[in-house]
Amino acid sequence: MKSRILILFSAFLLLWAVLLLRAARLQIFPDERLASLKRRQFETSLQIHTRRGAIVDRNGTELAASVPAYSLFADPKVIRDPYGLGKKLGSYLDMPAMNLKRRLRDKQRRFIWIKRQLSEKQRDEIKSWGETGLGFVEEPKRVYPNGGLLSQVLGFVGSEGNGLEGLELEYNKELLGQMKTIILPRDARGRPLLEDGRSLTEVPDGADLQLTIDHEVQFTLERELAGVVDHFQADTAIGIVMDAQSSEIVAMATLPVVDLNESHRYPQSLRRNRVVTDAFEPGSTMKSFVIAGALKENLIKPSTRFFCEDGRMKVGDKWITEADSNHHFKTLTVTEILAFSSNIGAAKIGFELGAERLNRVMADFGFGAKTGVELPGEARGIMNPLPWRPHLLSNISFGQGIATTPMQMVAAYGAIANGGLLKRPLLVKAVRPAHRDEEVIEFQAEEIRRVLSPSEAATMRLMLTAATEEKASGWNARIPGYHVAGKTGTAQKVDTVKGGYIKNAYISSFAGFVPASNPRYVIYVAVDNPKKAYYGSQVAAPVFSKIAQYLVRRAGIPPVLISERNMINTPAGEEKRRSALQARAMEDLKRSSEEDAKTFPNLMGLSLREALAKIRERANHVQVRGSGVVVRTIPMAGSEMSGKRNVVLVLENPD
Amino acid sequence: MSRSRLEDILPFLSVLILVSTLFGLVLLKMEVRRMGYSVLKSSHEYRKLQDQRRMMSMEYAKLTRPDRVRKFAVSKLKLNDSRNGQIIQLAGQTLAMPQ
């Protein structure tokens, strides 16, 4: 009996041992087939659509954002009445019913798209019909609430949600959210069992992009440019507004604009951001930099006189003339050369500089190199390599034989406006991650190099102010109540196919800043191929004036000029009175710069040689400490100077 | 309570504690499951509200777009662009000047 029990016990023990070993094998040793079976039975995957980041202006107004949309699909095999459903869908979605009926009758197919990116309202309405065989997939949709505003700068996204042009392309990586898939255990009814609720709420959405653009200024710029295109029957127009001190781009436009919600309907040529992609001959706006270069090299002063050859000068075997054939200038000061835009005067200053120095001046101001603004497809412009023949040298001096982009031009005028520092224009202010615990990346304009000393820049500002006075070429750019500084440009259009210039085709431009004494905004306007008139003074300068007028009022900058236009109950047309008042205001401006001469100058950032040149006539004894650039002075910049005194310069290496 | 009586009920107490612990564990597991469903529902609600907020901010941006505001001001309110002489610039206490 006992032995039978023992045998039975041993048999059970063996059986259990086998079972345990089997269980241990299943649990301990990996088996892909069993693992997949387990996953199928006990796990479910959830797909969470992440959002592409928004693009907002400097005040947080949305310029581009992604909203949920619903794409409708059908399974023809389970649709009971394809004829009736096709008719109903066709009528509701405004689609050809015949085509829908034919596709819904195709029982061989289990999946067909009916329509992509429907609204929530449309989805709810279709769901309420209770039709079998219809379903929705949630897909994000990119919306541009302002339609065409800032269109070429923003760019657009493709159907797969990737940026294709503009900022959408340049910042695609930052903007793009990622599709998040979570694997979760599920219950008997297939519902996910959550271990950690944050896995559903902490979604890797794309970061938001905050621009330096002000959408109201942008609107005004586009409206004024549209007006000039319409009035002069021009092909296109380009405009930029930049903060003179911070180099932040406040507005940037290429006309005509493109409705970004329908971007695929426009040709590629219209979607191009010509502000950075197109380089063209700048014309007389270039003269400012030739003069600035000669001023920097101590070759000229504003009062230096040049004989302008009665409007015609032979260079090599070719003749150069003034832009306006009625101009026969004799002797002009440098200020007048700029004000009356004399080609011959500018060419003579160019000859004073020589090819190598002029080439260096142009490179210093950033021509021939990308500005580094955060936009794709930026052009470098065209600068002919040295050596330059005399004729090319003279042409470059008045803005021919060289091609620049509007962005380069704004950056270079910005350097004159801000006191001599060339900076990288800034378009993106910050990248803001979707989650608060992640760090916000903020950007600031980088200083590229000092191109003029503060006093040389101040002299240039005065000369450019004179270029908008009465009888000067920029007279139409003036604003009642304010000093304006700037330069007109009229350039013949280059024939890129046949070479040479296109007959009767011009690019009219104006570049300048406002207010002239303490610049707040740098503005550039270019109008391509205007038909009714073509001089920059007639076409671009009035647009500059309108935009500048809007900007100074919006910024609350008080007027400094009192003219009859500023006064109530003053009879209009008092030409004499107005001239006297304006002359007095110019005197005030000049006096203020003379007062600067009675104070110790700002030498920060200058080399020892530049600093010594500045204080040569004001210093008794100069003590130099260290090497590199000036970082501190005794006395401090702005201190009153009565006669000569001892000066200490502290220098440090910039890095 | 005498020591012998305590020793008599100790096995029952042990079983009771064991069973209560097991029940407690099951209840805790069920509570975790219940809260998991609640979190799932709330997270769906959260996403829906986020989407709604986005839709509404888009709608607001569309309604306040500058060209629409301008069109409204010109056609409905009969306003025009300001001209020289219509704006009075206020800058501190000393200057008040129409432009």
Side-chain angles (χ1 to χ4, degrees):
Chain A
M1 182 67 187
K2 198 177 177 181
S3 64
R4 281 185 193 167
I5 290 169
L6 270 176
I7 290 167
L8 197 64
F9 178 75
S10 302
F12 270 104
L13 198 67
L14 190 67
L15 194 67
W16 276 107
V18 168
L19 281 172
L20 272 172
L21 280 171
R22 175 69 180 155
R25 187 175 179 278
L26 289 175
Q27 287 294 319
I28 296 165
F29 298 103
D31 186 320
E32 192 48 46
R33 187 184 63 85
L34 291 173
S36 104
L37 198 68
K38 181 197 152 205
R39 278 199 296 272
R40 234 183 16 240
Q41 275 186 340
F42 299 111
E43 284 181 357
T44 184
S45 72
L46 268 184
Q47 282 202 329
I48 300 175
H49 289 276
T50 57
R51 179 185 67 109
R52 187 180 173 85
I55 303 178
V56 300
D57 82 343
R58 65 192 303 137
N59 303 313
T61 304
E62 274 157 325
L63 302 169
S66 291
V67 294
Y70 305 91
S71 295
L72 174 63
F73 67 88
D75 179 357
K77 196 163 187 176
V78 293
I79 289 172
R80 289 190 210 110
D81 177 16
Y83 187 83
L85 185 61
K87 194 176 169 187
K88 204 170 174 182
L89 279 172
S91 155
Y92 183 66
L93 298 174
D94 195 22
M95 292 171 75
M98 282 305 288
N99 183 32
L100 271 175
K101 287 175 203 166
R102 182 179 52 77
R103 291 171 64 208
L104 290 174
R105 276 205 305 270
D106 184 1
K107 298 285 179 192
Q108 300 301 313
R109 300 181 67 181
R110 297 298 309 263
F111 184 94
I112 53 166
W113 283 118
I114 304 291
K115 194 164 186 178
R116 306 289 287 266
Q117 302 199 324
L118 300 176
S119 68
E120 195 178 0
K121 198 177 159 192
Q122 286 173 311
R123 181 200 64 173
D124 292 345
E125 172 66 25
I126 294 170
K127 269 189 172 177
S128 72
W129 298 345
E131 294 281 354
T132 53
L134 293 181
F136 291 90
V137 174
E138 189 182 323
E139 289 180 317
K141 180 184 178 184
R142 200 67 169 162
V143 178
Y144 302 90
N146 293 292
L149 195 85
L150 200 67
S151 50
Q152 290 92 345
V153 178
L154 291 176
F156 57 92
V157 296
S159 57
E160 298 305 315
N162 281 311
L164 296 182
E165 276 186 30
L167 287 170
E168 295 273 26
L169 172 64
E170 188 71 12
Y171 282 88
N172 191 47
K173 202 176 133 203
E174 287 81 0
L175 287 165
L176 199 64
Q178 296 157 15
M179 175 77 83
K180 186 179 179 182
T181 306
I182 319 169
I183 308 291
L184 294 167
R186 66 174 182 181
D187 63 11
R189 288 161 62 184
R191 293 176 302 181
L193 295 171
L194 285 185
E195 304 279 323
D196 181 4
R198 285 176 303 177
S199 58
L200 285 181
T201 49
E202 286 183 357
V203 180
D205 282 341
D208 290 348
L209 218 58
Q210 187 181 19
L211 307 185
T212 56
I213 297 285
D214 183 319
H215 86 296
E216 287 180 7
V217 178
Q218 179 71 26
F219 170 70
T220 306
L221 176 66
E222 288 184 7
R223 193 165 65 91
E224 295 301 343
L225 291 179
V228 76
V229 167
D230 187 45
H231 185 260
F232 289 100
Q233 294 165 4
D235 291 350
T236 57
I238 294 165
I240 315 173
V241 177
M242 185 177 84
D243 186 302
Q245 302 307 323
S246 66
S247 286
E248 292 179 355
I249 306 284
V250 183
M252 181 196 291
T254 304
L255 266 284
V257 295
V258 168
D259 183 353
L260 291 173
N261 296 306
E262 305 282 339
S263 54
H264 57 279
R265 294 192 179 173
Y266 294 84
Q268 204 276 333
S269 60
L270 287 184
R271 300 195 305 233
R272 203 171 69 231
N273 185 2
R274 300 188 62 195
V275 172
V276 291
T277 60
D278 285 20
F280 47 82
E281 288 191 350
S284 298
T285 48
M286 187 53 85
K287 288 171 186 162
S288 309
F289 307 108
V290 179
I291 290 171
L295 205 66
K296 189 181 174 186
E297 299 286 339
N298 277 326
L299 298 172
I300 56 164
K301 286 182 177 171
S303 55
T304 308
R305 302 174 84 82
F306 284 89
F307 178 58
C308 293
E309 312 282 345
D310 275 330
R312 205 159 178 263
M313 181 170 80
K314 193 165 189 183
V315 178
D317 56 346
K318 291 179 178 168
W319 288 91
I320 60 168
T321 60
E322 299 295 0
D324 187 338
S325 55
N326 296 321
H327 285 165
H328 302 283
F329 300 121
K330 293 194 186 302
T331 303
L332 295 178
T333 63
V334 173
T335 307
E336 287 166 336
I337 287 171
L338 197 62
F340 302 134
S341 198
S342 166
N343 285 349
I344 293 166
K348 286 198 165 182
I349 296 171
F351 285 128
E352 288 275 323
L353 264 171
E356 280 181 16
R357 276 195 292 198
L358 182 57
N359 184 284
R360 200 175 60 233
V361 166
M362 296 294 162
D364 275 353
F365 273 101
F367 299 114
K370 292 180 180 181
T371 63
V373 70
E374 314 94 313
L375 284 167
E378 188 184 4
R380 292 174 188 276
I382 300 166
M383 268 238 288
N384 281 301
L386 290 168
W388 294 345
R389 287 174 292 112
H391 187 251
L392 180 61
L393 173 61
S394 68
N395 278 3
I396 289 174
S397 303
F398 50 84
Q400 289 187 353
I402 182 171
T404 64
T405 65
M407 186 54 80
Q408 287 174 335
M409 201 48 95
V410 165
Y413 269 91
I416 296 176
N418 71 24
L421 277 171
L422 184 73
K423 294 184 182 177
R424 184 173 72 90
L426 192 69
L427 184 60
V428 177
K429 212 176 172 66
V431 175
R432 299 187 183 281
H435 296 291
R436 283 181 191 168
D437 49 346
E438 288 177 55
E439 200 180 338
V440 175
I441 306 162
E442 290 189 334
F443 301 101
Q444 284 194 331
E446 292 164 26
E447 290 177 7
I448 299 172
R449 70 183 80 87
R450 176 166 284 285
V451 289
L452 293 174
S453 69
S455 68
E456 287 157 2
T459 308
M460 280 308 300
R461 287 201 295 271
L462 271 177
M463 284 199 279
L464 284 166
T465 309
T468 62
E469 288 305 307
E470 199 164 5
K471 291 181 184 169
S473 59
W475 172 241
N476 284 336
R478 75 201 183 281
I479 316 170
Y482 300 87
H483 283 300
V484 170
K487 183 73 195 78
T488 55
T490 310
Q492 283 177 278
K493 278 190 79 172
V494 174
D495 190 333
T496 50
V497 183
K498 296 176 190 165
Y501 292 105
I502 304 169
K503 204 179 172 189
N504 296 327
Y506 298 87
I507 294 176
S508 313
S509 60
F510 191 92
F513 39 85
V514 66
S517 51
N518 182 21
R520 183 82 176 267
Y521 296 106
V522 181
I523 306 166
Y524 178 81
V525 174
V527 183
D528 183 5
N529 198 15
K531 309 291 186 306
K532 289 184 179 173
Y534 63 86
Y535 284 119
S537 56
Q538 296 168 303
V539 180
V543 188
F544 172 95
S545 169
K546 285 180 188 169
I547 297 162
Q549 199 161 343
Y550 166 78
L551 288 168
V552 291
R553 282 177 179 165
R554 193 167 185 275
I557 300 167
V560 292
L561 289 176
I562 303 168
S563 69
E564 97 282 355
R565 284 191 166 194
N566 299 110
M567 295 184 195
I568 304 170
N569 302 328
T570 305
E574 284 183 52
E575 205 59 40
K576 213 172 168 184
R577 180 183 162 78
R578 188 180 65 177
S579 301
L581 284 165
Q582 281 181 343
R584 202 189 308 157
M586 273 301 286
E587 280 303 313
D588 287 347
L589 192 71
K590 282 176 187 163
R591 205 178 305 125
S592 71
S593 65
E594 277 164 16
E595 275 167 12
D596 284 346
K598 290 177 190 166
T599 58
F600 191 75
N602 183 3
L603 306 175
M604 298 301 165
L606 299 186
S607 66
L608 180 60
R609 183 176 297 189
E610 289 168 333
L612 290 176
K614 287 223 166 283
I615 55 170
R616 193 183 302 145
E617 289 168 6
R618 303 180 194 191
N620 220 1
H621 172 75
V622 181
Q623 191 183 350
V624 180
R625 292 179 191 165
S627 63
V629 296
V630 178
V631 293
R632 202 162 70 246
T633 59
I634 302 170
M636 284 165 62
S639 309
E640 278 193 26
M641 295 275 286
S642 51
K644 290 187 173 185
R645 58 173 293 184
N646 292 346
V647 174
V648 179
L649 299 178
V650 182
L651 293 94
E652 274 179 16
N653 281 320
D655 38 294
Chain B
M1 195 182 286
S2 70
R3 185 178 175 81
S4 61
R5 188 159 173 76
L6 190 66
E7 279 176 359
D8 287 343
I9 62 166
L10 264 180
F12 295 104
L13 266 177
S14 305
V15 171
L16 190 67
I17 289 168
L18 187 70
V19 170
S20 309
T21 308
L22 286 173
F23 264 104
L25 282 172
V26 169
L27 282 172
L28 272 175
K29 199 79 181 165
M30 282 171 67
E31 185 60 14
V32 168
R33 290 278 180 268
R34 192 190 64 76
M35 287 177 83
Y37 291 130
S38 178
V39 168
L40 184 67
K41 197 178 163 193
S42 299
S43 63
H44 280 315
E45 195 69 22
Y46 171 76
R47 295 286 295 177
K48 202 174 168 186
L49 285 171
Q50 262 194 333
D51 287 346
Q52 269 181 8
R53 188 188 62 80
R54 257 175 236 143
M55 298 286 278
M56 288 173 88
S57 67
M58 262 305 99
E59 195 62 29
Y60 176 77
K62 278 180 187 171
L63 289 172
T64 55
R65 50 194 278 183
D67 62 331
R68 187 176 178 277
V69 173
R70 182 184 160 74
K71 206 179 277 178
F72 184 82
V74 172
S75 62
K76 301 273 185 212
L77 304 177
K78 307 293 176 201
L79 296 176
N80 282 311
D81 287 323
S82 57
R83 289 191 300 274
N84 289 332
Q86 287 184 316
I87 295 177
I88 294 177
Q89 188 84 41
L90 298 172
Q93 296 174 340
T94 53
L95 188 69
M97 181 187 302
Q99 292 180 47

